[in-house]
Amino acid sequence: MWIEVGHFAAILALVLSVTQMVAPMVGIRTGQLAWIRVGRYSAFAVFGLLTIASATLIHAFMTHDFSVTYVAQNSSLKLPTFYLATAMWGGHEGSLLLWAWLMSFFIAVAAWKHWKTHSVSMPWVLMILGGVTLGFLCLVLLLSSPFERLLMIPPDGRDLNPLLQDPGMVFHPPFLYLGYVGFAVPYAFAMAALITGQAKDEWILATRRWTLFAWTMLTTGIVFGAYWAYYELGWGGYWAWDPVENASFMPWLTGTAFLHSIMVQERRQMFKVWNLFLIITTFSLSLLGTFLVRSGVLSSVHAFATDPGRGMYILGFMAVMLLFSFGILVWRSEALKADNRMDAVVCRESTFLFNNLFLLVGAITVLLGTLYPLALEAFAGAKVTVGPPYFNKVFIPVMLGLLLLMGMGPLISWRRAAQGQLKKNFVIPAILAVVGIPIALFLGIDHPYAIVTVMLIMFVGSSHFIDFKRGVHSRMQSGSSNPFSAIWRMVGRNKRRYGGLTVHIGILVMCAGFIGSGMFQEVQTVIMQPGDKVKLSGWELTLDRYHKVRKDNWTATEAVIIAVREDGHSVTATPQKRKYDNHEMETTEASIFSYFWEDLYVVLGDRIPGRGWAIKAYRNPLIGWVWYGSFIIALGAIVALFQGRRLKKTQEAN
Amino acid sequence: MKGDYKERMRKKKLMLIATLVLVGGALLTLVFQSFTGAMVYFHTPTEMVEKSTDLVGKKVRIGGMVQAGTLKRKEGTLEISFDVTDGETMIPVYYKGVTPDLFREGQGVVVEGEWESKTLFTAHTILAKHSEDYMPVEMSEEAISKSRENILKSLQ
């Protein structure tokens, strides 16, 4: 019964999203505020109704209602309770509903928060977001309904895909979706600004926090995905340039470009058309991400559904959106002439310009590598893949360029950098960068790219330190003698700037992690019987025994391996080969021990009749730094998020 | 004096555009250069045999099914050999290493590696869901349905 309530609520939400679209238009036409208000209340109602719809679906999972097709396909009686609720987004249908629900939540928040402050844009924002919701709800209800019933009720469900029975699945998709959907609000404000002709800076100020929030969520989602791949997929790596990973990486790249270039618009009133272009692109790529992953066009780890109808629908949806958005942008771009011009080649504006160039080339690289094989298959029938070698080859230089700019940015002034000042600012970072060469060689790093990365880490680190120190110094001179209170006040006054610089430091830490794990990973593959030993630089692994383990809805063969490090520290690794009751496939459960400098990663491979099992042991140096770096990034982003609109006002006052 | 300033600005602007074009161009060249070098083509066993002379020594992917009864392991080692079939042609494959979870006889498989001679394919990687890379499911499905068609044809 409940699922019908949910289904009905979703249908009602669809109807109301039409109201949300149309009513504000009528309001603008007739000049009656009441109609616009109707649109606003529809937005709240859509959120309420979709909350009911999602709740009934979760309820169906919790009560094992296998008469619901989606539940029967993605759950079973033995599925642990923890995964019952989260199985809601384990499959295609439910995750689209989750998307729509998050979207309606954001719309409701935007309609509530910006109603008074942005009364001119609001009707258009409601209309555009209503349109996007409508598009999504049509997809949910017409082509992939999670509310469908089965005529024959099975006694037990097909169970959740074993790969998804993991805490990673609980966090990874919602965070990614929060990121994807979060870009919808800035997108809508940008479009509203274009339509109303008020494409000044207002939309950027209104949506700066939204953008930052979406970016933070997307970053967290991507890192969660990487971490999940690291411990669940059993191959010791975290990023494979899988088309599905690329799908979330593309909006991240353009979103990062957008976050930087809006600063130029705020400070110097330039890059206006460019910023609109970037946000439209970012939101389109978010939709493309959904399209790639959820249409079944890509067959990969993540694509569980194959249905060309959905693919065509999302493609059509995207085509409409792109034509509409870019059409209006072209039509209106005349009104968006920049108020200022670039005064010099060397200035902070141009570092942002190059930053955008690099990030965009990065996005094009990923787009090409992801879509070209699809296009070739569709039009020429040939099947190709462009694997990691391509992406690595292009991406590392792009990343190095970005690092260089990252180091230069904070020390170059706006408008025009005086040469004397430049020399003074960059002497120390440049010297430290050169010192990076012997350090890299001493650490045993011999690949040219890796050496350059070490140099750039030194360069960026020192330039950020100098910038920070200078700020503290000037604060201390102007009164507060206590360095800690000076730091506190400085960061507090300018959360956005120092939050941003913290994000940069997080990226440096991540880069160190990339080098360490990428260049110094060690692997040993051996067939082991009880008593056998294997050495792995600094570790000695001894196989104790194999035994069977039974839990919840799976059985496993487990190896018990004693690993002893040179300094006497010892751990017991228990990698498993799991077989889930309702599935044919086996899954590999790695046993991982994380330390500050390295991870010990042990996997159980094939059974070798008569000789035991193949054991694969990895030593992954610095891999933890990738995750620590992401913490620092999140921290910096949160600090920056705390800054409201005050910065702008203080600048105007100055 | 003012005209001089304008002239200088114009020059600087040109320089900026020139640098942008240069850096952008260099990056895009890098993209396309690497792209053509990194493409790996995918073939069915039949295509492999048809184009065998062209493909010797090149990195390719073969998709098909692991022929039942052909999977053999060199005793006590990680070395295995098996035949990949599309229902028409069988290609013997040699592989050393740990196989992915989904790999077994009768299952669809994609192997990446090299034709060393025209008789033996040495696989560097076996791709299946949940391994280093994704397995293009529809490719193996296609191969399986093709082999079914062939069996039906031969029955008629």
Side-chain angles (χ1 to χ4, degrees):
Chain A
M1 210 285 274
W2 284 112
I3 202 76
E4 270 73 37
V5 173
H7 196 177
F8 183 69
I11 294 170
L12 212 57
L14 178 105
V15 176
L16 279 173
S17 67
V18 178
T19 319
Q20 184 194 326
M21 235 178 109
V22 177
M25 291 306 93
V26 179
I28 290 173
R29 273 284 152 117
T30 59
Q32 283 175 303
L33 187 64
W35 281 100
I36 302 173
R37 228 178 258 138
V38 168
R40 185 183 185 224
Y41 289 124
S42 315
F44 294 147
V46 169
F47 168 57
L49 288 165
L50 287 181
T51 309
I52 296 172
S54 309
T56 59
L57 190 60
I58 291 177
H59 178 259
F61 272 103
M62 301 303 275
T63 54
H64 297 297
D65 186 354
F66 298 127
S67 67
V68 180
T69 315
Y70 183 66
V71 176
Q73 278 170 353
N74 291 290
S75 173
S76 73
L77 288 172
K78 279 190 210 147
L79 190 66
T81 318
F82 182 60
Y83 298 120
L84 274 177
T86 55
M88 182 221 163
W89 57 80
H92 167 85
E93 289 85 350
S95 67
L96 282 184
L97 181 65
L98 176 71
W99 171 295
W101 180 72
L102 288 174
M103 176 97 192
S104 70
F105 172 63
F106 284 171
I107 298 171
V109 172
W112 172 64
K113 223 185 135 233
H114 300 298
W115 177 251
K116 282 213 175 105
T117 46
H118 297 86
S119 48
V120 182
S121 303
M122 213 57 221
W124 298 98
V125 169
L126 284 171
M127 185 204 91
I128 287 155
L129 291 175
V132 180
T133 318
L134 176 67
F136 256 91
L137 286 179
C138 281
L139 178 63
V140 171
L141 289 170
L142 302 176
L143 288 165
S144 53
S145 171
F147 304 109
E148 254 167 44
R149 290 273 199 182
L150 278 171
L151 281 178
M152 308 275 281
I153 301 171
D156 195 359
R158 272 215 316 241
D159 202 21
L160 188 64
N161 184 319
L163 286 179
L164 300 180
Q165 295 189 30
D166 183 278
M169 195 273 289
V170 178
F171 300 109
H172 173 53
F175 272 96
L176 270 191
Y177 284 7
L178 282 171
Y180 284 163
V181 177
F183 284 120
V185 178
Y187 162 76
F189 267 94
M191 294 312 293
L194 265 180
I195 296 169
T196 56
Q198 296 190 324
K200 293 276 171 203
D201 309 327
E202 217 212 24
W203 72 275
I204 282 187
L205 288 173
T207 57
R208 187 171 63 205
R209 273 179 153 177
W210 283 99
T211 313
L212 198 54
F213 169 78
W215 183 87
T216 313
M217 293 300 123
L218 191 60
T219 311
T220 316
I222 291 173
V223 173
F224 265 130
Y227 186 57
W228 183 16
Y230 177 61
Y231 73 78
E232 177 65 26
L233 297 191
W235 56 278
Y238 44 85
W239 191 261
W241 297 105
D242 183 283
V244 177
E245 291 168 345
N246 295 345
S248 58
F249 194 41
M250 286 186 280
W252 187 87
L253 288 167
T254 55
T256 309
F258 179 69
L259 270 180
H260 285 91
S261 75
I262 54 176
M263 287 186 242
V264 183
Q265 180 163 349
E266 281 172 50
R267 292 292 291 256
R268 302 272 297 130
Q269 284 75 49
M270 299 191 303
F271 294 5
K272 288 184 179 173
V273 182
W274 180 243
N275 283 328
L276 289 158
F277 166 80
L278 276 181
I279 190 64
I280 295 172
T281 309
T282 303
F283 187 54
S284 312
L285 287 172
S286 296
L287 287 180
L288 182 73
T290 321
F291 162 61
L292 287 176
V293 180
R294 293 300 176 184
S295 65
V297 167
L298 293 177
S299 315
S300 85
V301 183
H302 303 60
F304 302 106
T306 339
D307 179 354
R310 287 168 193 162
M312 287 312 292
Y313 178 86
I314 307 184
L315 205 61
F317 181 56
M318 277 199 67
V320 171
M321 192 211 127
L322 286 175
L323 281 176
F324 170 75
S325 314
F326 285 114
I328 289 181
L329 183 62
V330 171
W331 176 53
R332 283 284 192 174
S333 62
E334 263 309 288
L336 295 170
K337 283 267 162 64
D339 300 351
N340 284 311
R341 276 162 184 271
M342 201 78 96
D343 288 340
V345 181
V346 184
C347 58
R348 196 177 286 174
E349 291 92 312
S350 69
T351 62
F352 281 117
L353 191 64
F354 281 99
N355 150 297
N356 274 232
L357 178 74
F358 276 87
L359 285 167
L360 211 68
V361 169
I364 293 170
T365 307
V366 182
L367 192 70
L368 190 73
T370 314
L371 293 189
Y372 183 77
L374 290 180
L376 197 67
E377 192 180 331
F379 299 116
K383 281 168 179 161
V384 295
T385 48
V386 279
Y390 157 73
F391 291 106
N392 290 339
K393 213 166 159 188
V394 180
F395 236 85
I396 296 170
V398 170
M399 189 192 80
L400 295 178
L402 282 170
L403 280 180
L404 180 68
L405 292 168
M406 196 191 271
M408 286 161 55
L411 296 185
I412 292 186
S413 49
W414 292 97
R415 303 197 67 147
R416 186 179 320 160
Q419 275 201 339
Q421 199 201 1
L422 272 182
K423 266 187 200 148
K424 207 180 98 204
N425 284 346
F426 285 111
V427 168
I428 297 171
I431 291 173
L432 281 171
V434 176
V435 172
I437 302 175
I439 292 181
L441 292 173
F442 174 74
L443 292 172
I445 297 169
D446 50 6
H447 193 280
Y449 277 157
I451 295 174
V452 176
T453 314
V454 174
M455 289 173 72
L456 285 171
I457 288 175
M458 301 283 282
F459 180 70
V460 180
S462 55
S463 92
H464 280 56
F465 181 77
I466 290 171
D467 181 70
F468 189 77
K469 206 187 97 194
R470 217 174 260 169
V472 176
H473 197 71
S474 70
R475 290 249 160 220
M476 280 174 71
Q477 274 181 338
S478 67
S480 66
S481 53
N482 182 342
F484 291 105
S485 75
I487 292 172
W488 181 255
R489 274 183 49 216
M490 179 180 78
V491 176
R493 268 290 178 78
N494 211 340
K495 299 187 194 77
R496 195 159 160 231
R497 178 183 167 87
Y498 290 102
L501 295 181
T502 311
V503 170
H504 286 177
I505 300 299
I507 289 183
L508 292 188
V509 174
M510 261 187 158
C511 284
F514 294 152
I515 298 184
S517 60
M519 288 202 57
F520 297 106
Q521 185 184 57
E522 261 180 80
V523 199
Q524 286 279 4
T525 311
V526 279
I527 304 161
M528 288 179 105
Q529 281 178 327
D532 285 356
K533 287 182 198 306
V534 60
K535 276 205 192 302
L536 182 77
S537 66
W539 288 89
E540 192 184 60
L541 279 62
T542 314
L543 179 75
D544 184 54
R545 63 176 191 278
Y546 295 110
H547 64 164
K548 291 260 180 241
V549 184
R550 161 102 218 154
K551 214 179 157 192
D552 297 335
N553 52 351
W554 49 264
T555 49
T557 302
E558 188 176 88
V560 179
I561 298 166
I562 318 286
V564 184
R565 202 165 53 186
E566 275 169 338
D567 60 2
H569 172 80
S570 112
V571 289
T572 308
T574 53
Q576 296 176 338
K577 199 82 169 174
R578 264 186 212 172
K579 167 87 180 62
Y580 282 78
D581 297 349
N582 296 8
H583 299 272
E584 275 294 296
M585 73 185 288
E586 289 179 313
T587 67
T588 307
E589 299 294 319
S591 182
I592 308 169
F593 297 93
S594 303
Y595 302 94
F596 190 70
W597 294 108
E598 64 182 18
D599 272 20
L600 177 68
Y601 188 107
V602 189
V603 193
L604 193 57
D606 295 344
R607 202 170 86 82
I608 314 292
R611 289 276 291 121
W613 293 70
I615 305 259
K616 225 171 170 177
Y618 297 82
R619 179 177 163 267
N620 293 323
L622 297 192
I623 199 156
W625 290 37
V626 175
W627 323 126
Y628 307 146
S630 69
F631 280 127
I632 300 174
I633 290 174
L635 181 79
I638 289 167
V639 169
L641 262 173
F642 270 103
Q643 182 143 29
R645 303 180 63 162
R646 211 179 53 212
L647 180 64
K648 177 76 183 174
K649 278 183 194 148
T650 45
Q651 266 158 18
E652 273 165 4
N654 291 342
Chain B
M1 194 65 196
K2 200 154 192 208
D4 191 34
Y5 174 76
K6 259 193 180 161
E7 181 62 24
R8 232 170 45 219
M9 282 294 90
R10 210 176 61 86
K11 252 190 195 159
K12 281 195 172 161
K13 203 177 162 194
L14 270 177
M15 239 168 81
L16 183 74
I17 292 170
T19 348
L20 267 179
V21 171
L22 211 73
V23 175
L27 282 173
L28 287 177
T29 319
L30 178 76
V31 173
F32 288 104
Q33 275 273 305
S34 325
F35 193 77
T36 43
M39 277 200 284
V40 177
Y41 278 85
F42 178 93
H43 298 285
T44 61
T46 309
E47 284 171 354
M48 284 296 294
V49 172
E50 277 166 12
K51 299 177 195 162
S52 60
T53 17
D54 301 340
L55 295 174
V56 171
K58 280 198 185 125
K59 201 176 178 188
V60 287
R61 287 183 171 190
I62 313 180
M65 258 186 357
V66 181
Q67 177 69 43
T70 61
L71 179 60
K72 288 189 187 77
R73 183 180 290 279
K74 199 171 159 193
E75 213 169 301
T77 67
L78 287 169
E79 293 169 52
I80 54 169
S81 62
F82 54 90
D83 287 1
V84 174
T85 176
D86 57 359
E88 274 174 47
T89 319
M90 286 208 271
I91 296 222
V93 176
Y94 165 85
Y95 175 74
K96 186 182 173 187
V98 174
T99 59
D101 290 335
L102 270 182
F103 178 80
R104 71 176 88 91
E105 286 190 341
Q107 282 279 333
V109 72
V110 174
V111 290
E112 186 177 296
E114 263 172 60
W115 247 152
E116 279 179 1
S117 60
K118 284 184 204 170
T119 47
L120 187 70
F121 189 84
T122 308
H124 306 306
T125 354
I126 296 182
L127 306 165
K129 249 187 193 174
H130 176 242
S131 108
E132 265 125 324
D133 211 329
Y134 65 99
M135 178 176 85
V137 182
E138 83 279 11
M139 293 178 186
S140 53
E141 274 170 2
E142 196 178 83
I144 292 163
S145 68
K146 212 173 174 187
S147 74
R148 269 202 205 111
E149 268 171 39
N150 282 321
I151 293 165
L152 286 176
K153 248 187 233 162
S154 63
L155 284 175
Q156 274 167 1

